[in-house]
Amino acid sequence: MFDLKVLALCSYPELLSDSTFPEDAKSRACRILNSCGGNSMGAYSASQGIESVRQDVARYIERRDGGVPCDPDNIYLTTGASDGIVTMLKLLVCGEGAMRAGVMISIPQYPLYSAALAELSAVQINYYLNEEKCWSLDISELQRALDEARLYCNPRALCIINPGNPTGQVQSRECIEDVIRFAAKERLFLMADEVYQDNVYAEGCQFHSFKKVLFEMGPEYSETVELASFHSTSKCYMGECGFRGGYMEIINMDDDVKAQLTKLLSVRLCPPVPGQALMDLVVNPPQPGEPSYEHFIK
């Protein structure tokens, strides 16, 4: 596979002189190595991640979202998407008693969320997906859950998994717009878990990123709604879970809060560099005309 060839070259650069490796794999490996400290994946990277990889992620997001701008400084490389999700929850959770932070999560849900909230002593606010309507999300159910939760906690964030896990539902654009309006009205931080964005197979279904929809709704929302979105190497088309690669993009976060996020991430020094390299290959695969393209597509 193309990704493993590039990682082999990055891990053992002497292979760059081996004629059996395709030139596009060598060029990807050289770009990654030139961005690493000491030209080695064995060195620490910046806590936010390797700059060239963040640039490639930003270009990928711009292509995916039809030209909506993406600033590499808003990209944080992570140890899988779960690392980014837990980090954002740590940043958002505070308070005690009736002011303890609450986070809205879907039921059924991926257990990362309930486990992380329990570990952080935050309040889990359940909203239920509608099984009879293909596990769809109903805004009236969000409102019910929020109104009840405000009696005993301080709701601060709304987590959305789209496409869903474990239910597999894909949200319509109309539903995403409704969620964004709801978050704006209720002043909730939006967390969009979009790690399955490349795994949409049902006829008539289409993935819409929360960021793209947010910006197409105009400045009333695109300049005010706080959003963190997540992707990883574990799902998508790659399925390389053990390398622990991922990223999150932050939108409309206050600069002082963003500085605290960077401090929080610096505690774990940096994400695994091989995982960062693999994330780069997810967002920067072989292109038409390159030696590895036909085999990659096949």
Side-chain angles (χ1 to χ4, degrees), residues 127-146:
Y127 66 89
Y128 293 86
L129 302 177
N130 190 331
E131 182 177 6
E132 295 180 355
K133 295 183 178 179
C134 298
W135 301 105
S136 62
L137 172 56
D138 192 325
I139 297 299
S140 63
E141 169 61 11
L142 286 181
Q143 193 68 61
R144 177 208 64 77
L146 182 69

Side-chain angles (χ1 to χ4, degrees), residues 101-129:
V103 178
M104 303 183 70
I105 66 172
S106 60
I107 302 296
Q109 54 104 19
Y110 179 56
L112 164 69
Y113 293 90
S114 55
L117 293 174
E119 181 181 8
L120 295 169
S121 297
V123 177
Q124 175 179 321
I125 304 170
N126 297 333
Y127 66 89
Y128 293 86
L129 302 177

Side-chain angles (χ1 to χ4, degrees), residues 233-298:
T233 64
S234 298
K235 280 80 182 182
C236 63
Y237 61 82
M238 189 68 76
E240 297 283 10
C241 315
F243 281 102
R244 308 310 300 137
Y247 74 75
M248 61 180 174
E249 183 186 13
I250 306 302
I251 303 295
N252 291 325
M253 181 176 282
D254 180 88
D255 286 341
D256 290 337
V257 178
K258 194 174 175 183
Q260 297 305 315
L261 172 61
T262 302
K263 286 182 183 179
L264 188 58
L265 288 169
S266 70
V267 173
R268 52 95 160 112
L269 301 181
C270 72
V273 175
Q276 295 185 54
L278 192 67
M279 191 75 249
D280 187 77
L281 300 174
V282 167
V283 301
N284 187 23
Q287 299 300 307
E290 292 184 327
S292 301
Y293 179 74
E294 288 189 17
H295 184 259
F296 171 77
I297 292 299
K298 184 178 179 180

Side-chain angles (χ1 to χ4, degrees), residues 59-172:
R59 283 193 286 266
Y60 159 80
I61 292 172
E62 288 178 352
R63 291 193 304 271
R64 181 198 69 186
D65 292 345
V68 176
C70 180
D71 185 347
D73 285 341
N74 290 334
I75 302 296
Y76 294 78
L77 301 180
T78 56
T79 309
S82 58
D83 174 48
I85 291 165
V86 172
T87 298
M88 286 309 307
L89 291 175
K90 286 181 180 178
L91 191 71
L92 292 165
V93 167
C94 63
E96 297 179 353
M99 291 307 294
R100 193 157 52 123
V103 178
M104 303 183 70
I105 66 172
S106 60
I107 302 296
Q109 54 104 19
Y110 179 56
L112 164 69
Y113 293 90
S114 55
L117 293 174
E119 181 181 8
L120 295 169
S121 297
V123 177
Q124 175 179 321
I125 304 170
N126 297 333
Y127 66 89
Y128 293 86
L129 302 177
N130 190 331
E131 182 177 6
E132 295 180 355
K133 295 183 178 179
C134 298
W135 301 105
S136 62
L137 172 56
D138 192 325
I139 297 299
S140 63
E141 169 61 11
L142 286 181
Q143 193 68 61
R144 177 208 64 77
L146 182 69
D147 291 343
E148 290 182 8
R150 281 190 167 138
L151 300 175
Y152 56 85
C153 72
N154 177 26
R156 303 197 73 195
L158 168 59
C159 296
I160 305 288
I161 308 175
N162 179 54
N165 180 6
T167 55
Q169 88 282 2
V170 181
Q171 288 187 356
S172 67

